[in-house]
């Protein structure tokens, strides 16, 4: 087979016409409705026990944002009149070869992970200030209240022992007491999508859906009348687990070799952690078909970093950056221009598919709350793909416009940078304000 025939087949697999996006959005709506009413569904539809902020939230807050390889700690103040001041914010790596720690692998224990986070909270808090605590914990949790959240299952290939099945609020509170902070206790635990929605809705009207398109992927929305309470509540859909999509043979290979085959099917097709992996699997297939050089490195997981993908996608002219990445990652020298073009096309198709699949799920969420699209809707989005990948945000908006040709401008995306940390602060202040 030659390169051009290979690429024609690849397009068949990866290009999603609008009709297919429509079908996906309908399947997504069905999964939402089923999950919400407690029927079996790939969407967990987890209640968050919080609605949109009013602006009246106030007080000193320490916020923790943990959802991947770093944890961020913020010291913030809400004035009760719609504004928030971040006094300090620091990021700490949970995997640090120089310091010699890895709190995320199968050897790490819950007490080490939460002990480390608590020690960082102790570093950032100012003596004499009474804090409420908001914790963005970006993994699927069953919430029993705003500050009780039991981790159902780790995602993003994290493996720390003793956390699954446990209340992360209790784990953190024990660690905080151990770090000499018995007065600080978890007041709110939220998902990062929920944090993103809270932060965006704090300063803008009509935001009712929020998503993370980064290392992981997930979306939440405001359910206007939640069946459990009859009141508005944000629902964390855990949409990365949506399975109403067609996997290519490359997706199936990736899934079979992942830590948890069969789970997080959508996330494995769209999120930053996996996009480079899908590309590596395609490149490996191309190499086996004699269309790219042989390379043992093609068997190594996580070789392509997010930044490599960005460089290739925006590469132009003689595609020298593509050559540089191919050499550094796969020791491939002297690729022909045709081969470089093929690599660029593979990555671009994979990334475009990601944006279009995500758009189809957004469409499902928006139509669930407003089937006739009577009102404007803003979808607040955080994460590296949306923020940094060249073309990604435009592909997403374009797919939404294709889905709503008669309502252009009704469903818009917006960047919500650092929303998950700010959202944790808003959630803690909300919980404390409501308790008073
Ligand atoms: C987690 C979600 C999270 C998303 C984005 C997924 O792997 O399951 O809870 O919101 O990543 O961080």
């Amino acid at each position: 087979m030659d390169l051009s025939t290979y690429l024609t087949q690849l397009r068949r697999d990866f290009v999603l016409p609008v009709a297919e996006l429509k079908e996906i959005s309908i399947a997504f709506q069905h999964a939402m409705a089923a999950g919400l009413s407690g029927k079996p569904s790939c969407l967990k539809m987890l209640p968050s026990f919080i609605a949109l902020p009013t602006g009246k939230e106030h007080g000193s807050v320490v916020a923790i944002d943990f959802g991947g390889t770093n944890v961020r700690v913020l010291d913030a103040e809400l004035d009760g009149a719609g504004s928030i001041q971040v006094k300090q914010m620091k990021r700490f790596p949970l995997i640090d070869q120089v310091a010699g720690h890895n709190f995320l692998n199968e050897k790490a224990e819950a007490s080490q992970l939460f002990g480390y986070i608590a020690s960082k909270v102790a570093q950032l808090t100012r003596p004499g200030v009474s804090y409420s605590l908001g914790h963005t914990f970006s993994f699927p949790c069953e919430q029993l209240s705003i500050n009780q959240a039991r981790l159902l299952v780790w995602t993003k290939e994290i493996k720390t022992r003793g956390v699954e099945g446990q209340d992360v609020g209790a784990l953190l509170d024990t660690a905080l007491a151990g770090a000499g902070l018995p007065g600080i206790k978890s007041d709110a635990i939220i998902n990062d999508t929920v944090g993103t929605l809270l932060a965006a809705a704090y300063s803008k009207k009509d935001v009712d859906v929020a998503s993370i398109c980064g290392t992981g992927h997930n979306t939440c929305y405001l359910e206007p009348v939640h069946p459990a309470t009859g009141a508005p509540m944000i629902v964390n859909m855990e949409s990365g687990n949506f399975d109403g999509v067609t996997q290519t043979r490359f997706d199936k290979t990736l899934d079979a070799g992942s830590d948890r085959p069969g789970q997080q099917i959508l996330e494995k097709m769209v999120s930053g952690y996996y996009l480079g992996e899908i590309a590596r699997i395609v490149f490996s297939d191309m190499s086996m078909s004699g269309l790219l050089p042989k390379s043992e490195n093609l068997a190594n997981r996580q070789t392509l970093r997010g930044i490599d993908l960005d460089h290739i996608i925006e590469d132009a002219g003689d595609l020298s950056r593509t050559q540089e990445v191919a050499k550094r990652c796969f020791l491939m020298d002297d690729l022909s221009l045709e081969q470089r073009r093929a690599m660029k096309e593979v990555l671009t198709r994979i990334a475009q598919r990601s944006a279009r699949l995500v758009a189809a799920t957004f469409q499902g969420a928006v139509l669930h709350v407003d089937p006739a699209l009577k009102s404007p809707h803003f979808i607040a989005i955080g994460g590296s793909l949306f923020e940094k990948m060249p073309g990604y945000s435009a592909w997403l908006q374009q797919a939404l416009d294709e889905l709503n040709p008669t309502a252009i401008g009704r469903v818009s995306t917006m960047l919500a940078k650092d929303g998950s940390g700010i959202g944790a602060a808003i959630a803690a202040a909300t919980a404390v304000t409501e308790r008073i």
Side-chain angles (χ1 to χ4, degrees):
M1 190 190 306
D2 63 7
L3 260 181
S4 121
T5 317
Y6 190 93
L7 289 176
T8 308
Q9 280 187 8
L10 187 105
R11 280 175 215 133
R12 235 172 265 145
D13 281 343
F14 281 89
V15 175
L16 294 174
V18 67
E20 213 165 309
L21 298 187
K22 263 192 195 136
E23 280 169 25
I24 294 170
S25 78
I26 292 167
F28 193 81
Q29 280 184 71
H30 288 155
M32 284 177 79
L36 207 56
S37 59
K39 299 202 184 100
S41 171
C42 56
L43 293 181
K44 295 189 180 76
M45 305 298 281
L46 302 165
S48 66
F49 294 92
I50 194 163
L52 297 187
T54 57
K56 297 207 175 109
E57 304 74 13
H58 59 89
S60 300
V61 178
V62 57
I64 298 170
D65 179 10
F66 165 37
T69 47
N70 291 296
V71 63
R72 285 189 311 155
V73 183
L74 284 75
D75 169 2
E77 195 84 38
L78 285 90
D79 68 356
S83 104
I84 178 165
Q85 194 196 349
V86 177
K87 298 195 176 290
Q88 290 185 80
M89 168 161 79
K90 277 203 176 141
R91 178 190 296 265
F92 305 96
L94 295 169
I95 302 175
D96 188 338
Q97 269 155 11
V98 179
H101 67 237
N102 182 339
F103 297 119
L104 304 179
N105 65 11
E106 58 288 337
K107 292 195 194 118
E109 294 284 350
S111 56
Q112 296 172 306
L113 170 64
F114 287 98
Y116 179 77
I117 297 176
S119 73
K120 298 304 167 195
V121 172
Q123 265 179 30
L124 243 84
T125 41
R126 287 163 289 147
V129 179
S130 149
Y131 286 98
S132 53
L133 176 85
H135 183 187
T136 293
F137 182 75
S138 313
F139 304 93
C141 285
E142 179 191 29
Q143 298 234 187
L144 303 172
S145 68
I146 183 69
N147 64 353
Q148 287 175 290
R150 192 172 66 85
L151 174 63
L152 293 170
V153 62
W154 278 126
T155 54
K156 296 177 257 199
E157 317 279 316
I158 292 179
K159 303 183 192 76
T160 314
R161 290 191 294 183
V163 191
E164 283 180 337
Q166 301 301 313
D167 176 2
V168 294
L171 291 173
L172 181 65
D173 290 353
T174 307
L176 287 165
L181 299 170
I184 303 186
K185 289 206 164 36
S186 306
D187 291 296
I189 304 167
I190 55 168
N191 186 259
D192 51 355
T193 55
V194 177
T196 301
L197 183 48
L198 292 175
Y202 194 61
S203 52
K204 193 170 171 60
K205 258 175 49 161
D206 300 325
V207 189
D208 53 4
V209 179
S211 182
I212 299 292
C213 297
T215 307
H217 172 65
N218 184 17
T219 301
C220 74
Y221 76 103
L222 181 74
E223 175 62 46
V225 187
H226 193 278
T229 56
M233 192 196 294
I234 302 174
V235 175
N236 164 18
M237 294 194 274
E238 284 298 325
S239 60
N241 198 46
F242 180 59
D243 61 9
V245 283
T246 308
Q247 292 170 287
T248 65
R249 63 193 169 101
F250 308 111
D251 300 307
K252 288 183 185 153
T253 305
L254 182 148
D255 182 40
S258 68
D259 283 346
R260 295 174 190 271
Q263 291 185 21
Q264 299 295 101
I265 294 295
L266 178 69
E267 182 169 65
K268 286 174 187 160
M269 295 166 77
V270 304
S271 88
Y273 187 89
Y274 298 101
L275 291 190
E277 281 301 278
I278 307 174
R280 181 183 62 80
I281 292 167
V282 177
F283 294 155
S284 164
D285 184 63
M286 290 168 75
S287 160
M288 279 188 294
S289 313
L291 300 170
L292 285 178
K294 300 255 168 294
S295 161
E296 283 180 8
N297 285 18
L298 281 168
N300 299 342
R301 283 202 203 179
Q302 295 295 331
T303 315
L304 285 165
R305 298 162 308 164
I307 185 111
D308 298 325
L309 270 59
D310 297 354
H311 283 161
I312 296 183
I313 287 172
E314 69 184 344
D315 206 3
D318 66 353
L319 304 186
S320 55
R321 291 187 112 172
T322 306
Q323 173 62 72
E324 185 274 313
V325 173
K327 179 157 167 56
R328 181 166 37 80
C329 296
F330 304 120
L331 312 174
M332 291 179 186
D333 265 323
D334 295 330
L335 294 174
S336 68
L337 186 56
E338 202 196 0
Q339 285 173 318
R340 294 180 214 178
R341 282 202 183 119
M343 289 182 100
K344 178 178 157 126
E345 172 158 2
V346 167
L347 271 179
T348 311
R349 298 280 177 207
I350 291 170
Q352 279 171 339
R353 182 187 67 160
S354 158
R356 292 178 73 79
L357 284 174
V358 166
T361 67
F362 289 170
Q363 175 78 357
V366 169
L367 291 184
H368 170 84
V369 289
D370 182 6
L373 277 188
K374 287 201 179 118
S375 319
H377 298 269
F378 282 96
I379 302 165
I381 309 176
S384 52
L385 287 184
F386 189 77
E387 201 183 312
K388 300 197 179 126
M389 180 177 265
Y392 196 89
S393 59
W395 296 326
L396 227 168
Q397 186 64 54
Q398 188 197 319
L400 283 168
D401 291 347
E402 282 175 39
L403 282 161
N404 300 303
T406 56
I408 303 279
R410 271 289 155 87
V411 185
S412 319
T413 55
M414 59 177 269
L415 176 64
K417 229 174 152 197
D418 296 333
S420 54
I422 305 274
I426 297 171
T430 307
V432 173
T433 312
E434 280 176 6
R435 231 186 282 147
I436 294 167

